[in-house]
Amino acid sequence: MKEKNMAKADFVTSIFLILFGLFVLYQSLQMPRFEERHVNPYSVPGLVPGFLGIVLAFLGLVLFVRSILKGGHRLELTASRIRDFFLDESTKRILITIILSVGYGVFLGKIKFSILTALYVFLFIVIFDYKRQKTLKDQWKIFLSGFIVAVLTSASVTYVFRYLFLVNLP
Amino acid sequence: MLEGLRMFVEALGGFMTPKALFDVLWATQLGIIVGMLPGLTATMGVALMTTLTFKMATSNAVLILICMYIGAIYGGSRSAILLNIPGTPANAATAVDGYPAAKKGLAGQAIGIGTTGSFLGSLIGMFMLALFTPLIGNFALSFQSFEFFWLSVFGVVICGNLTAPKDPLKGWISGFLGLFISMIGMENMYAYKRFSFGWVELSGGIALIPAMVGAFGFAEIIMVMKYPVMEVVKTKIEHVIPRPREIARYWKTIVRSGIVGTFIGAVPGVGEDIAAWVSYDLARRSSKEKEKFGKGSFEGLIAAETGNNACVAGAMIPVLSLAIPGSAPAAVLLAAMFIHGVRPGPLIMLEFPTFIYQVVAMVLLATTAMFILGLSLVRTLVKILLVPRQKLMPIVFVLCMVGSFAIHGRIFEVGVMIVFGIIGYYMRVMDYPIAPLVLGIILGKILDPNLRRALVISNGNLIPFFTRPISAVIFVITLLTIFSRMQWFRNLVSSATGGIKRLLKRS
């Protein structure tokens, strides 16, 4: 990340950190102190999290001040910049990876493991290998290789984990 | 000493069975392959292997994990030399001289020298592991809650400091976030569920393995998929086995890098990457051929590879003696030991005295296997680097998924892995190191009960935290670690040393 963008990212992160630290501190103060059980006040559950909340808020504050000194508070968020970000090739690749993987996680346990795994691997390969410029006919190899890798992965992972490592699969 | 040697020989003899030797070979070879492939790190390899071996006998499982660890740290040098992309972060320094050497047509020699450096580094680390673990273990027996509290804070601070050389603040933020994450779930004094918000799954806390598989595995998958395709150097691989004279030339560099690598390994959370860089930097400073560094210097290559593999054994010293990991893969190793019922820490010398020497024997076996396998099958294994990433990464993700699910059989932990993967990716993008976060998750479990216990013992009095001798020393080192990164402190130190020098000159 470029230094200017880093300062902006630091500015946003620091605000989140300060708020998060204060939230942790508030939650810690709300935790029970078991006075009715005559518990030693230095052993209460909220003590250490409260201390950590203060440290996190303080570190966030240092980051906040530093990011402002570097001009990070001038976010300059415009519609065109946001659009450029989402149209960037690497952003697209990241989002596809995350969406496919999160989707796999969401359907885990709801669809049969071997089918879900094969589907995930197949989609992953085809989406990343497919080129819009070429026709579907020219790219049949991608579908074939994706299918073969997907079936082999699904079958071998299912077999190795279930029968060799005796792991119960979802 | 002799007792230690006897236990070591007995442990080594115990592993001389066909099954154990077969395990050593396949696990080390798998480790080399995992290390070679960019996107598969040693941490991820050890974490995934933990989930596969948790039904095995303790010694077999730990043996396999150590072989995977040593193999992966070494294996990363292959892609560093041939692709200029370190297979694991530990091999970044290797790429600086390994890749230019490969471009000159010396890929075979570079691989051979790197392998020998890794072998010798690992051996030096092994000797120091055998020597220092019992000493530190015995010393740590005098630690009480006050000392363990400071040790946890020191671990997070030093790890944050060294893993984020550009910006230690981000290292410390990462470390303290890790400490906070360990607070989630049921605490062990009053069984109160902290930060669970009525969510039953969360009240069990965040388990280390899924968090690590996510932060090191899934985050790496996203990172790898972001970048364009890499190209393998087209070169003939010849003369892989190095001549003894080539190695003997650099004996000083090897010994120095081995010792430095081991010591850096022993510092909590500071892993093989830092060990390799420091060894490389020291080698460059003391070299007679400084100008060759960065242009394919074998001395630089051997320094980096000796340093990172020595660090592996070094990282196990605090694992065994203090239950504090020296590096990220060692953190998984520590978690695996707990899963298998071995309790590393100061009591290990009383409870499991033979285990330390078993680990030393495992390191020796893994190192020997790494050396033999590293010098053979070179040309065949290079073909693995040609597998396209879009075909490899979904398979790796499937393994991350199954690995996170396997230990407790909970889909919740798959969710933990995915969330930590996304957090880990954005942390990397914003220059926050991951190692302090992971170390924080482990050290939080030590810090919380020990701080509360210490305060109960002292009845809220903070003075013992600063007056008990060992506590005071750790506190001062922690403070110096923080101040050492601040400009005003550096100016103060340099003006003070300048003043002393002037005074000495006058007198």
Side-chain angles (χ1 to χ4, degrees):
Chain A
M1 200 184 270
K2 286 177 195 162
E3 199 170 335
K4 202 179 166 192
N5 288 342
M6 188 65 89
K8 289 177 189 174
D10 285 351
F11 177 72
V12 178
T13 317
S14 67
I15 294 172
F16 167 77
L17 261 178
I18 294 169
L19 293 177
F20 182 70
L22 293 176
F23 170 75
V24 171
L25 179 63
Y26 172 76
Q27 284 288 324
S28 308
L29 291 172
Q30 297 298 310
M31 284 179 194
R33 289 165 209 182
F34 303 113
E35 280 135 340
E36 71 286 359
R37 285 202 241 162
H38 305 290
V39 154
N40 189 312
Y42 299 109
S43 68
V44 296
L47 186 98
V48 179
F51 158 73
L52 293 176
I54 294 170
V55 174
L56 283 173
F58 173 73
L59 293 174
L61 193 68
V62 177
L63 191 66
F64 179 75
V65 173
R66 218 182 55 180
S67 66
I68 286 183
L69 291 176
K70 287 182 183 170
H73 58 292
R74 286 186 285 273
L75 290 177
E76 294 159 354
L77 276 180
T78 57
S80 67
R81 280 188 180 213
I82 295 171
R83 198 175 50 236
D84 288 349
F85 172 75
F86 282 104
L87 289 177
D88 183 57
E89 193 53 37
S90 60
T91 312
K92 276 188 202 164
R93 292 174 71 92
I94 292 165
L95 286 178
I96 292 170
T97 310
I98 293 177
I99 291 168
L100 279 174
S101 307
V102 170
Y104 182 27
V106 168
F107 288 107
L108 205 67
K110 296 182 182 84
I111 297 178
K112 203 174 174 208
F113 177 78
S114 52
I115 295 170
L116 183 67
T117 302
L119 196 66
Y120 168 75
V121 176
F122 177 75
L123 284 177
F124 201 102
I125 293 172
V126 168
I127 290 174
F128 278 105
D129 267 346
Y130 185 78
K131 289 180 184 65
R132 264 193 241 160
Q133 302 89 332
K134 291 184 182 175
T135 60
L136 208 63
K137 250 185 183 178
D138 294 339
Q139 301 188 70
W140 63 271
K141 273 186 187 170
I142 294 171
F143 288 88
L144 183 69
S145 70
F147 180 75
I148 294 170
V149 176
V151 170
L152 285 177
T153 307
S154 172
S156 51
V157 168
T158 310
Y159 178 79
V160 168
F161 280 83
R162 190 163 284 165
Y163 300 108
L164 290 184
F165 293 115
L166 307 173
V167 169
N168 292 322
L169 293 171
Chain B
M1 192 77 176
L2 280 175
E3 182 66 7
L5 193 66
R6 184 187 62 78
M7 283 195 263
F8 168 70
V9 173
E10 271 179 15
L12 196 62
F15 289 121
M16 289 300 152
T17 62
K19 188 185 175 308
L21 293 177
F22 176 67
D23 282 344
V24 169
L25 284 178
W26 73 257
T28 311
Q29 186 63 70
L30 192 63
I32 294 174
I33 294 171
V34 164
M36 267 172 75
L37 293 167
L40 294 183
T41 59
T43 313
M44 191 172 158
V46 181
L48 285 178
M49 203 41 88
T50 303
T51 63
L52 299 183
T53 53
F54 80 106
K55 286 193 177 167
M56 288 185 179
T58 308
S59 58
N60 277 21
V62 178
L63 174 66
I64 289 171
L65 297 182
I66 288 177
C67 289
M68 164 62 77
Y69 185 6
I70 290 180
I73 293 295
Y74 157 71
S77 65
R78 266 321 146 76
S79 40
I81 292 168
L82 296 172
L83 293 176
N84 199 23
I85 296 176
T88 70
N91 311 94
T94 312
V96 178
D97 278 304
Y99 187 65
K103 275 173 96 179
K104 283 184 200 167
L106 301 171
Q109 260 177 293
I111 290 174
I113 284 188
T115 309
T116 315
S118 298
F119 172 69
L120 295 171
S122 201
L123 282 186
I124 295 171
M126 186 196 78
F127 280 116
M128 289 170 81
L129 171 71
L131 194 68
F132 285 106
T133 311
L135 288 178
I136 297 175
N138 282 330
F139 177 65
L141 279 174
S142 59
F143 281 23
Q144 285 188 9
S145 293
F146 302 93
E147 285 77 21
F148 275 111
F149 164 72
W150 279 124
L151 203 61
S152 316
V153 177
F154 170 69
V156 167
V157 169
I158 187 97
C159 181
N161 210 9
L162 295 179
T163 52
K166 269 196 277 177
D167 193 353
L169 179 66
K170 293 190 172 177
W172 299 332
I173 290 174
S174 174
F176 278 93
L177 272 177
L179 288 177
F180 166 74
I181 291 166
S182 73
M183 297 294 122
I184 299 171
M186 201 181 282
E187 50 89 43
N188 56 8
M189 275 193 186
Y190 305 107
Y192 178 73
K193 293 164 191 162
R194 295 188 288 207
F195 304 102
S196 303
F197 308 105
W199 192 356
V200 180
E201 301 272 29
L202 203 57
S203 61
I206 304 285
L208 181 71
I209 303 271
M212 285 191 82
V213 170
F216 286 95
F218 185 34
E220 192 69 36
I221 293 173
I222 304 173
M223 208 73 174
V224 167
M225 290 314 296
K226 181 184 176 182
Y227 291 118
V229 182
M230 58 221 172
E231 275 178 31
V232 179
V233 173
K234 281 179 187 146
T235 173
K236 277 188 180 173
I237 298 174
E238 290 169 336
H239 307 297
V240 175
I241 297 171
R243 295 182 192 94
R245 207 188 299 156
E246 273 177 338
I247 303 298
R249 261 183 78 188
Y250 304 120
W251 72 271
K252 274 187 193 167
T253 307
I254 293 170
V255 172
R256 186 193 324 105
S257 307
I259 294 171
V260 166
T262 314
F263 272 106
I264 290 180
V267 177
V270 183
E272 293 78 14
D273 43 347
I274 309 283
W277 279 118
V278 175
S279 305
Y280 180 82
D281 191 47
L282 287 176
R284 188 168 50 86
R285 282 173 197 228
S286 51
S287 172
K288 287 174 190 158
E289 300 167 325
K290 286 190 185 72
E291 69 288 349
K292 285 189 182 170
F293 276 68
K295 293 171 190 157
S297 157
F298 284 149
E299 192 176 4
L301 176 68
I302 210 165
E305 276 304 300
T306 309
N308 65 21
N309 264 78
C311 178
V312 173
M316 290 181 207
I317 297 175
V319 164
L320 294 171
S321 56
L322 300 167
I324 291 175
S327 69
V332 189
L333 204 60
L334 175 66
M337 286 177 189
F338 276 115
I339 290 171
H340 284 283
V342 180
R343 282 190 306 279
L347 291 176
I348 197 167
M349 289 303 290
L350 305 174
E351 289 179 347
F352 309 93
T354 54
F355 187 70
I356 292 175
Y357 297 98
Q358 273 187 338
V359 170
V360 177
M362 290 172 194
V363 172
L364 179 64
L365 288 171
T367 305
T368 313
M370 176 207 79
F371 189 54
I372 297 166
L373 294 167
L375 293 179
S376 50
L377 297 170
V378 174
R379 289 176 198 87
T380 322
L381 281 180
V382 166
K383 288 186 182 129
I384 293 174
L385 291 174
L386 299 170
V387 177
R389 57 183 63 193
Q390 61 270 29
K391 289 198 174 61
L392 188 67
M393 288 303 129
I395 302 173
V396 176
F397 184 74
V398 170
L399 294 177
C400 289
M401 198 73 120
V402 177
S404 309
F405 180 82
I407 293 185
H408 298 118
R410 296 196 302 166
I411 290 191
F412 170 74
E413 297 199 331
V414 172
V416 169
M417 184 272 290
I418 292 176
V419 169
F420 271 81
I422 297 171
I423 294 174
Y425 168 73
Y426 284 102
M427 281 178 71
R428 266 178 221 210
V429 172
M430 291 196 283
D431 280 351
Y432 289 87
I434 306 288
L437 181 90
V438 170
L439 189 69
I441 299 178
I442 294 172
L443 292 182
K445 303 275 183 225
I446 300 175
L447 184 141
D448 179 41
N450 281 299
L451 175 60
R452 288 151 80 190
R453 205 175 296 136
L455 283 170
V456 170
I457 294 169
S458 69
N459 201 20
N461 187 357
L462 294 177
I463 291 173
F465 283 91
F466 306 100
T467 51
R468 290 171 59 89
I470 302 171
S471 270
V473 171
I474 307 175
F475 166 68
V476 171
I477 297 173
T478 310
L479 217 57
L480 285 176
T481 309
I482 298 170
F483 286 161
S484 68
R485 301 303 297 265
M486 293 176 183
Q487 199 54 49
W488 63 267
F489 185 76
R490 286 183 188 188
N491 294 343
L492 195 76
V493 171
S494 62
S495 61
T497 46
I500 292 169
K501 273 181 193 166
R502 277 196 297 277
L503 269 176
L504 286 174
K505 263 188 187 175
R506 268 185 220 166
S507 62

